[in-house]
Amino acid sequence: MQTPRRVEHQLTDKGSVPVYATAVIEQPWASYEAVEHDTWRRLFERQSAILPGRACQEFVDNLNALGMDAEAIPKFEALNRHLRAATGWELIGVEGLLPELTFFEHLAARRFPVTWWIRRPEQFDYISEPDLFHDLFGHVPLLMNPVFADYMQAYGAGGVRASTFGDASLAELTRLYWYTVEFGLIATDDGLRIYGSGIVSSKGESIYALESPSPNRIGFDLTRVMRTRYRIDTFQKTYFVIDGFEQLFHATVDPDFAPIYRELAAQPAIPAGQVLATDRVYQRGSGQGWAADGDV
Ligand code: PHE
Ligand code: CO
């Protein structure tokens, strides 16, 4: 087998740009070095310690059910045995970011692409693109949840369709992924919890998203989300809060997006940090919960 490449951002005269790779590769598990298993162990231990009571229970339970632990970088094949049995999803190894349409096609076929390589020790706290830790620890637990698993497949199918509607529609659909799969929050009977993989795989953002007074926490609304810009290089200014995975599923899978893309074409995008009069605001602290009308 040829050694897979490690495809990362490249510094060009335009600054740092993402590089795309399409190959599906076998995980070169035997070639991981001690320092790489150690990076996995340290990241795994750090996140596992802060997530109970912060991540939603489905995430914590499924992390255990998958048999991931701090011991060593997991083998995709071992995780796949659990995943296939639970929801029919499987992990495939990739070298880095995929072109959009390729990514959508994999999701639509219940294949989740996982970057085979893990960040270097000097990237421990921050890396600008998904690596093995983000992809496995962040994304795979919720693929064990049947409703979330169906949502992800439908998202992929929607992406394949959106590719025929043009760049503006694709950008709107990407915002939906960003504010749900990557940075979503969920209101539970026990309080606000994290489910987005970009948050659960980051120590700083796990605490910030729930505990900082700075960001907006706004009730999920499909077109509101699809109009909202986002930043990829700092913590989010706004998080969208769902009441459960069923709500997310019905709000996105049921409607035909074709008329929604047409309607949105006439509307301006909303800056990342803006709150609208029509937003339903989730309040933290002692009066935790949805703000009543006129409360904000
Ligand atoms: N219902 C969407 C469509 O008609 C597809 C979709 C499902 C998009 C789930 C996002 C999430 O295109
Ligand atoms: Co991700």
Side-chain angles (χ1 to χ4, degrees):
M1 186 185 70
Q2 252 198 310
T3 313
R5 296 169 306 156
R6 169 181 173 129
V7 178
E8 271 188 275
H9 270 70
Q10 256 163 33
L11 206 53
T12 69
D13 50 6
K14 291 196 199 71
S16 175
V17 299
V19 183
Y20 296 93
T22 53
V24 172
I25 54 101
E26 204 180 306
Q27 182 187 26
W29 195 85
S31 74
Y32 292 131
E33 293 176 5
V35 60
E36 296 173 311
H37 288 296
D38 191 59
T39 298
W40 169 269
R41 179 187 59 75
R42 291 189 295 132
L43 285 166
F44 188 97
E45 283 175 351
R46 182 164 82 166
Q47 288 314 100
S48 306
I50 63 169
L51 287 182
R54 289 198 175 92
C56 64
Q57 201 56 41
E58 289 88 343
F59 180 92
V60 175
D61 290 347
N62 284 320
L63 185 66
N64 294 326
L66 277 162
M68 282 195 211
D69 59 32
E71 209 54 31
I73 293 175
K75 293 183 174 163
F76 297 173
E77 260 324 297
L79 301 177
N80 275 342
R81 284 193 285 276
H82 295 290
L83 262 182
R84 286 197 197 100
T87 57
W89 273 78
E90 68 172 338
L91 310 179
I92 53 168
V94 294
E95 298 179 309
L97 282 177
L98 297 172
E100 246 159 12
L101 183 57
T102 311
F103 179 63
F104 293 144
E105 286 169 343
H106 284 308
L107 296 185
R110 293 198 170 229
R111 292 189 297 262
F112 190 76
V114 174
T115 308
W116 72 267
W117 52 266
I118 195 160
R119 66 195 70 180
R120 300 195 168 88
E122 62 271 24
Q123 298 168 311
F124 193 73
D125 286 311
Y126 182 78
I127 172 158
S128 58
E129 60 227 294
D131 73 332
L132 179 142
F133 182 75
H134 166 80
D135 287 342
L136 278 191
F137 186 94
H139 284 279
V140 179
L142 284 187
L143 290 176
M144 297 279 283
N145 176 279
V147 178
F148 195 83
D150 287 352
Y151 169 68
M152 287 287 279
Q153 175 182 14
Y155 182 89
V160 173
R161 241 157 62 85
S163 307
T164 66
F165 292 99
D167 288 350
S169 304
L170 264 179
E172 287 149 9
L173 192 70
T174 302
R175 290 179 188 138
L176 178 60
Y177 191 88
W178 189 264
Y179 282 119
T180 60
V181 177
E182 294 290 349
F183 291 97
L185 296 180
I186 182 166
T188 76
D189 292 342
D190 301 321
L192 194 61
R193 295 289 185 271
I194 307 161
Y195 74 91
S197 51
I199 313 179
V200 293
S201 63
S202 154
K203 181 189 179 194
E205 196 146 3
S206 289
I207 295 168
Y208 175 88
L210 292 178
E211 288 154 46
S212 166
S214 306
N216 310 311
R217 300 175 183 87
I218 296 173
F220 180 87
D221 175 87
L222 180 65
T223 52
R224 166 68 160 97
V225 171
M226 291 174 79
R227 290 177 60 198
T228 308
R229 294 181 197 282
Y230 58 86
R231 293 279 301 264
I232 64 166
D233 56 350
T234 61
F235 294 162
Q236 300 304 304
K237 290 192 158 64
T238 295
Y239 299 96
F240 288 95
V241 182
I242 60 172
D243 281 310
F245 296 126
E246 270 86 4
Q247 180 208 12
L248 178 60
F249 185 88
H250 289 301
T252 57
V253 178
D254 296 350
D256 177 2
F257 277 24
I260 299 176
Y261 294 136
R262 280 198 294 277
E263 175 197 322
L264 292 182
Q267 298 178 19
I270 302 168
Q274 191 167 326
V275 180
L276 307 179
T278 45
D279 288 336
R280 212 159 55 105
V281 175
Y282 190 96
Q283 286 180 334
R284 296 174 46 263
S286 50
Q288 170 150 284
W290 295 110
D293 273 354
D295 233 22
V296 263

